[in-house]
Amino acid sequence: MKIPLAFQITEYDCGTTTLLNAFLFLFQRQEIPVEVLKTIYQYTLDAIGKNGIKGEMGTSRKAMKQLTQWITKYTEEHSLKIKCENLEKEKVTEEKIKNCLNHHGCVIARCYQKNEHYVLITKMNDHFAFLFDPYYVGEKEYDKDTQVEVDLTHPFTYNRVVQIERLFGESKEDFSLMEVEKREIILMNKTA
């Protein structure tokens, strides 16, 4: 059974929630091993905040890379059918994202949203990226932003529609993948 994608429960768990959402998007609930869930919670929320509190700066890039490696190793040893690939900087291209999405996949992207923030891209065409942002906002949140739309009618796939120009922009505007040197995505494909 498929279940709706989840929203984060604190200001800091976007990485944790987006990783879980990738599995919810790709698999039926009963197909997701509890060991994967446990490991996601174990590795994420590792970045130390201003007050020295672990997790208060969310999930580090290092932890996301380690999780990608762990998932790859786990799939080699178990029957979970998934392929993960971490891409950075100039290797993050529209073509690679579309290719992943067109082959039973989704993309975890680190983007800008007041700080660095993780979202799940589930669909893309020539004009828009359809993504699930785990940070819940009301339908009118982006009414003054012509490049972003809140859409709460697709809880299994996406809740934001973002113009491609914004996604690949280098500005500090919500849902920009930021400067090329800071770009980071994880391609995740369900395999046969």
Side-chain angles (χ1 to χ4, degrees), residues 106-171:
C106 60
V107 177
I108 294 173
R110 192 173 186 111
C111 66
Y112 186 80
Q113 194 177 60
K114 296 181 183 148
N115 293 298
E116 293 186 4
H117 177 66
Y118 288 104
V119 298
L120 185 70
I121 303 171
T122 59
K123 181 179 166 185
M124 187 183 287
N125 61 32
D126 292 335
H127 305 287
F128 301 101
F130 300 82
L131 53 92
F132 194 91
D133 181 353
Y135 196 85
Y136 184 82
V137 297
E139 290 181 87
K140 297 187 184 295
E141 180 72 20
Y142 287 95
D143 279 358
K144 294 180 181 174
D145 188 334
T146 60
Q147 293 186 313
V148 177
E149 178 185 334
V150 175
D151 182 337
L152 301 176
T153 63
H154 298 89
F156 294 88
T157 53
Y158 65 91
N159 62 10
R160 305 284 189 280
V161 181
V162 178
Q163 287 187 3
I164 296 293
E165 294 82 21
R166 169 68 64 83
L167 185 70
F168 285 94
E170 294 190 34
S171 67

Side-chain angles (χ1 to χ4, degrees), residues 22-129:
F23 282 91
L24 291 175
F25 179 75
L26 294 172
F27 296 97
Q28 302 286 327
R29 178 172 55 191
Q30 63 274 18
E31 294 176 311
I32 303 169
V34 71
E35 190 171 4
V36 169
L37 178 71
K38 184 176 92 174
T39 303
I40 289 171
Y41 280 114
Q42 180 181 339
Y43 276 88
T44 58
L45 291 169
D46 66 315
I48 298 172
K50 296 174 191 169
N51 299 321
I53 299 171
K54 188 174 184 179
E56 202 171 65
M57 283 301 291
T59 301
S60 69
R61 292 172 181 252
K62 180 181 177 184
M64 293 300 263
K65 286 179 190 174
Q66 289 175 327
L67 269 163
T68 303
Q69 293 167 352
W70 182 88
I71 292 166
T72 300
K73 185 172 184 194
Y74 183 86
T75 59
E76 292 169 359
E77 298 170 357
H78 298 82
S79 61
L80 186 64
K81 307 277 189 222
I82 191 167
K83 178 184 171 197
C84 295
E85 183 180 5
N86 189 293
L87 299 179
E88 296 177 338
K89 301 178 183 177
E90 68 279 344
K91 292 181 181 176
V92 176
T93 66
E94 185 177 340
E95 180 183 343
K96 288 180 181 175
I97 292 173
K98 282 183 178 177
N99 187 50
C100 174
L101 299 175
N102 291 333
H103 290 91
H104 311 289
C106 60
V107 177
I108 294 173
R110 192 173 186 111
C111 66
Y112 186 80
Q113 194 177 60
K114 296 181 183 148
N115 293 298
E116 293 186 4
H117 177 66
Y118 288 104
V119 298
L120 185 70
I121 303 171
T122 59
K123 181 179 166 185
M124 187 183 287
N125 61 32
D126 292 335
H127 305 287
F128 301 101

